[in-house]
Amino acid sequence: MNQANSLIKDTAIIGFGNLFSKGIIFFLIPLQTSVMSKSDYGIAEMLFNLVNILIPIFTLGIAEAGMRFSIDRVEQRKSIFLIITCVPVFGGIILALCAIPFAIYFHEYIKYFFDLFLLYLCFSLREIYLQYSKGIDNLKLFSLGSIFFSASLILLSYYYLVIEKLAVDGYLYSYIIANLGTIIFLFYFGGFTKHFTLSIKAYDRALLKDMLLYSLPLVSNLLAWWITSMSNRYILGYYCTLEDVGIYSALAKFSLILTTVYGVFFQSWQINAAKNINMDGRETFFAKVHNYYLMAVVLGSSVFIIASDFIASIFIRGSFTESYQYLPAIILTGTACCLPMYWGAIYGALKNTKGAFYSTLCGSIGSLVFNFLFIPRYGIYGAILSTIISYCIVTVYRMLEINKIIRIKLCVLRHIIGFLVLTGQAVGMSYFNTLYEALFLNCFVLLMLIALYNKWVLGIWDFIKRSSKTIG
């Protein structure tokens, strides 16, 4: 029970910051889609996603190592902080040198290269310091830093996109300055100056080696994960148009609602799985968490699909409003993305980053194969289908591999049925034209899912009643 309470507490603290901050960022969608064309939005998203893949390569994935090692190496935190600060800076220098020939070759995009470099440096340091704050168990700082970043981003986006009308440049400027401001915020309010030192005495070569042995396999994992989740945009741009990329990128932000909500659980589960990986009875605890997590993912996705048209009508603006029919299926990609998260935290707890990489590599290969098969024929729907399949590949691989180490009793058939029912709901909502058809479908699906998960739904209800009596 103590493990469950710790998981709930950490989820609540991290959730406050993440959900509030992501909720603010969600308001960027109507702002951006109302003032940017589909092609400008497509270019901006492709540049931003490029930075997302450069960060793990040139920082050597040190953010995850900083978080994991600061949990159980308290006496070495100054050395850890020195390492996580220096690695991205040196990586930035190498990135700048590597970018020179690309800047010459892609001369039409040369004006973006300096902005991309600044975005890499500020974005990577912000993410590294936020992860470090989790590792030192300062979850309130993590939440406040996330909120500060999001609030800054929406104000800066309004200034650069609406007032200055800078389109792609304004999109990049707002992210650069918001990241830089958050770094300053974390240092000032998080007391990071106590951890920061440039003294050579703080340099620990053995620690650096241990951290890199942990993080380098994660770099490959992050690269493979990027291919799984982001490569479809570039293949879509090649076979279709930048407008299609813009549509897919804008609507994909809605699937981020799911991954953000359940990503809150993942971040607290990372910490609690690491703390409890060697405890007695871990199999029972891990199985219980898995069952309740997947139930919440499926039921939450179903409710979100029901509300998708209404939410889209509020947040999607301009020429993007013609693309609502893709939304239920895109939400399903968010559901599929949540499936392997649970297993990823256990890989981290076991410090088995190679296993995480091999699983994601299988998914990324599948993603590339299915993208090239489906996108030329089905366009945006092809990108959606290939993404869902690739996430399922990762999930199955991780489930089979981890169960060789920890025998977690799973209700596999029940969860497969739940996902198939959800898929039927997404397909139906994409094609049904009348209110009565949609109403009948959604009521039928919800009743089926509640009946399927009745045992766990009642378990949650009992927990709420016990908690209310305790508070009272």
Side-chain angles (χ1 to χ4, degrees):
M1 190 67 185
N2 289 334
Q3 293 92 349
N5 288 338
S6 177
L7 179 59
I8 292 169
K9 178 184 175 182
D10 290 346
T11 301
I13 296 172
I14 293 173
F16 174 75
N18 262 20
L19 297 181
F20 188 84
S21 62
K22 297 297 183 182
I24 293 174
I25 289 180
F26 195 59
F27 283 95
L28 283 174
I29 299 175
L31 190 152
Q32 291 167 341
T33 56
S34 64
V35 297
M36 297 178 74
S37 67
K38 292 177 184 176
S39 57
D40 278 347
Y41 192 80
I43 292 170
E45 282 287 306
M46 290 172 75
L47 291 171
F48 184 75
N49 291 328
L50 177 61
V51 172
N52 275 328
I53 194 56
L54 292 174
I55 287 174
I57 296 172
F58 289 95
T59 66
L60 306 178
I62 205 69
E64 291 293 328
M67 188 274 287
R68 182 65 184 87
F69 278 73
S70 58
I71 290 175
D72 50 19
R73 297 202 185 184
V74 179
E75 73 285 352
Q76 292 181 293
R77 282 180 178 172
K78 279 196 173 183
S79 298
I80 292 170
F81 197 85
L82 176 64
I83 290 169
I84 64 175
T85 300
C86 290
V87 167
V89 173
F90 288 126
I93 295 170
I94 297 171
L95 171 61
L97 294 173
C98 293
I100 292 173
F102 289 96
I104 295 170
Y105 184 77
F106 297 101
H107 55 86
E108 68 270 29
Y109 295 107
I110 196 169
K111 63 178 181 177
Y112 298 125
F113 274 76
F114 183 66
D115 292 341
L116 289 178
F117 171 77
L118 288 178
L119 183 55
Y120 154 82
L121 194 60
C122 297
F123 200 140
S124 60
L125 286 172
R126 176 188 68 90
E127 183 61 26
I128 285 168
Y129 292 150
L130 283 174
Q131 291 297 319
Y132 180 76
S133 68
K134 287 198 300 181
I136 62 174
D137 207 27
N138 194 345
L139 299 183
K140 289 181 181 178
L141 178 64
F142 173 82
S143 293
L144 291 174
S146 301
I147 293 169
F148 180 86
F149 169 73
S150 303
S152 302
L153 181 60
I154 196 165
L155 292 173
L156 289 163
S157 295
Y158 182 82
Y159 175 74
Y160 284 117
L161 293 177
V162 178
I163 298 176
E164 295 294 331
K165 302 186 185 302
L166 293 181
V168 177
D169 288 323
Y171 184 101
L172 296 176
Y173 294 162
S174 58
Y175 271 96
I176 291 168
I177 298 172
N179 277 292
L180 180 60
T182 306
I183 293 170
I184 296 170
F185 175 89
L186 292 172
F187 263 84
Y188 186 78
F189 290 100
F192 282 0
T193 50
K194 298 175 184 176
H195 301 258
F196 180 73
T197 178
L198 292 176
S199 172
I200 194 68
K201 293 180 181 179
Y203 173 67
D204 188 327
R205 187 174 181 179
L207 175 63
L208 174 62
K209 181 180 177 182
D210 289 344
M211 291 178 70
L212 290 179
L213 285 173
Y214 177 85
S215 68
L216 284 175
L218 285 176
V219 175
S220 303
N221 181 56
L222 290 168
L223 288 173
W225 200 253
W226 184 89
I227 292 171
T228 303
S229 58
M230 295 294 174
S231 63
N232 52 19
R233 289 158 171 79
Y234 298 88
I235 299 171
L236 195 62
Y238 178 78
Y239 283 109
C240 301
T241 65
L242 284 174
E243 289 194 354
D244 287 323
V245 176
I247 290 169
Y248 183 86
S249 298
L251 294 179
K253 296 289 176 70
F254 287 87
S255 70
L256 284 177
I257 295 176
L258 282 177
T259 55
T260 297
V261 171
Y262 296 111
V264 169
F265 163 82
F266 169 71
Q267 292 179 69
S268 58
W269 177 230
Q270 271 184 311
I271 298 169
N272 282 268
K275 289 177 179 177
N276 298 299
I277 193 64
N278 297 314
M279 74 172 187
D280 294 331
R282 62 182 180 177
E283 292 84 0
T284 302
F285 175 58
F286 284 12
K288 191 172 183 179
V289 171
H290 177 266
N291 289 330
Y292 277 99
Y293 170 66
L294 282 196
M295 177 202 69
V297 168
V298 172
L299 285 175
S301 300
S302 178
V303 172
F304 191 28
I305 289 172
I306 293 172
S308 60
D309 275 358
F310 173 72
I311 295 171
S313 67
I314 297 173
F315 290 100
I316 293 294
R317 293 286 185 268
S319 56
F320 292 83
T321 55
E322 305 163 1
S323 313
Y324 286 0
Q325 74 269 20
Y326 299 113
L327 191 52
I330 283 181
I331 290 171
L332 201 61
T333 66
T335 308
C337 181
C338 293
L339 300 181
M341 283 185 183
Y342 168 87
W343 303 103
I346 299 178
Y347 271 129
L350 293 167
K351 294 186 178 178
N352 184 8
T353 49
K354 289 183 180 178
F357 163 63
Y358 290 135
S359 65
T360 315
L361 178 63
C362 290
S364 64
I365 293 171
S367 177
L368 287 174
V369 170
F370 290 115
N371 275 329
F372 282 112
L373 281 175
F374 295 147
I375 288 177
R377 181 173 295 183
Y378 303 114
I380 292 176
Y381 279 121
I384 293 168
L385 181 59
S386 63
T387 302
I388 293 171
I389 293 173
S390 60
Y391 284 135
C392 290
I393 291 171
V394 177
T395 303
V396 172
Y397 184 104
R398 291 183 174 184
M399 180 178 66
L400 294 176
E401 283 298 304
I402 288 176
N403 266 280
K404 292 177 182 178
I405 304 169
I406 306 173
R407 299 296 298 175
I408 303 173
K409 188 176 180 181
L410 304 170
C411 300
V412 177
L413 181 60
R414 190 181 301 235
H415 294 308
I416 290 174
I417 293 172
F419 191 73
L420 290 175
V421 170
L422 190 68
T423 303
Q425 181 186 21
V427 172
M429 287 293 287
S430 295
Y431 289 101
F432 285 173
N433 296 317
T434 68
L435 176 64
Y436 294 109
E437 288 175 332
L439 185 63
F440 175 79
L441 172 69
N442 290 325
C443 289
F444 179 72
V445 166
L446 280 178
L447 288 173
M448 279 194 69
L449 292 177
I450 291 171
L452 185 68
Y453 295 122
N454 68 90
K455 177 182 175 182
W456 302 321
V457 170
L458 291 173
I460 292 175
W461 178 247
D462 288 340
F463 176 80
I464 292 172
K465 285 197 296 184
R466 289 197 305 270
S467 299
S468 62
K469 288 179 181 178
T470 303
I471 295 171

